[in-house]
Amino acid sequence: MPEHNLTRRNLARQGVSHPFLIPLLCALTLGILGSSCTATEKSYTVPEALCETPISPELLTPLIAPGKELSTVSNNKTQSIRRCRIYVDGKEALSASSEWLNKDKQLRDVAARSYNYVEPNDVVSDDGMYIYSDTGAIGRVICTRPPTASERVFASIRVSDAGRPDAAALSKLIRAYSEALKDSQHCKKQENWTPEPNRTWQ
């Protein structure tokens, strides 16, 4: 995992999340220089889907920083994985994906990948379906009609630099996202799927 992500996770676990450093710096600036500084508001609309999978905006809101513009970019180069990223004012805030992997893969195996922002020793839910930290989460997806006996779908959520680390919020989001994927086109692994278009909300 990149060093800056480790630093961010350490700050979050000490109760300090980097978006909350902004008001502190503003206060210091006001006291020293006598200038004014106001917190940025969310002037964009939070999307109601991740990778075309319906998700309540209330689940996404705690994980995305304030800003003026929110946009999404999809990267669906292969049929085995679908990924989309949320950007706030040009900076990546959150990404989501669903991926077909060998059925023998375990949550901790997937968590061992550094780019998921989850580590094998992070919290696993009591039902063994999800693993999550304050910056990432992975969930098993039980497809309604799995097309093969050798593969399974795993969902993942990752909070990036412009996002807000929050383990509780990620736990809720990965559960909802994994459940919503059960009847998705990607879960059915259909041949003629269409990539989600890039979109911008202002």
Side-chain angles (χ1 to χ4, degrees):
M1 183 180 298
E3 184 177 350
H4 72 281
N5 292 326
L6 289 173
T7 301
R8 174 157 45 82
R9 290 188 62 178
N10 289 337
L11 284 172
R13 285 171 176 164
Q14 293 173 23
V16 181
S17 178
H18 74 285
F20 298 112
L21 292 177
I22 295 175
L24 176 60
L25 292 175
C26 288
L28 290 174
T29 302
L30 181 61
I32 296 173
L33 301 179
S35 61
S36 62
C37 187
T38 58
T40 303
E41 299 292 336
K42 287 183 178 178
S43 55
Y44 55 77
T45 300
V46 179
E48 298 181 356
L50 281 175
C51 305
E52 293 191 324
T53 301
I55 287 292
S56 169
E58 294 179 358
L59 296 175
L60 288 170
T61 298
L63 297 164
I64 305 175
K68 295 181 179 179
E69 181 181 275
L70 183 148
S71 60
T72 63
V73 175
S74 298
N75 183 12
N76 304 318
K77 294 181 179 179
T78 68
Q79 219 180 343
S80 62
I81 182 169
R82 297 191 71 179
R83 179 178 290 112
C84 55
R85 292 180 171 88
I86 293 177
Y87 290 84
V88 175
D89 295 339
K91 294 183 179 180
E92 185 177 331
L94 184 144
S95 67
S97 67
S98 56
E99 182 175 8
W100 284 92
L101 296 172
N102 187 285
K103 69 173 184 178
D104 294 327
K105 288 285 186 181
Q106 301 298 316
L107 285 173
R108 297 190 189 280
D109 296 329
V110 185
R113 299 174 172 184
S114 61
Y115 57 79
N116 280 327
Y117 292 14
V118 187
E119 297 174 2
N121 61 347
D122 281 325
V123 179
V124 175
S125 61
D126 291 340
D127 58 9
M129 294 290 289
Y130 313 97
I131 185 170
Y132 58 92
S133 68
D134 48 14
T135 55
I138 298 168
R140 298 175 185 271
V141 179
I142 309 301
C143 293
T144 304
R145 291 185 293 169
T148 72
S150 61
E151 295 178 298
R152 295 292 181 270
V153 174
F154 286 85
S156 66
I157 305 288
R158 184 181 74 182
V159 174
S160 301
D161 289 346
R164 290 179 160 175
D166 188 329
L170 275 166
S171 175
K172 293 178 182 179
L173 180 58
I174 193 61
R175 289 173 184 273
Y177 185 48
S178 299
E179 283 292 317
L181 281 168
K182 287 183 176 181
D183 293 309
S184 69
Q185 294 299 318
H186 191 226
C187 213
K188 298 171 185 176
K189 209 172 183 180
Q190 290 189 358
E191 293 290 336
N192 300 317
W193 59 274
T194 303
E196 178 189 12
N198 299 335
R199 295 179 177 135
T200 298
W201 285 265
Q202 295 180 337

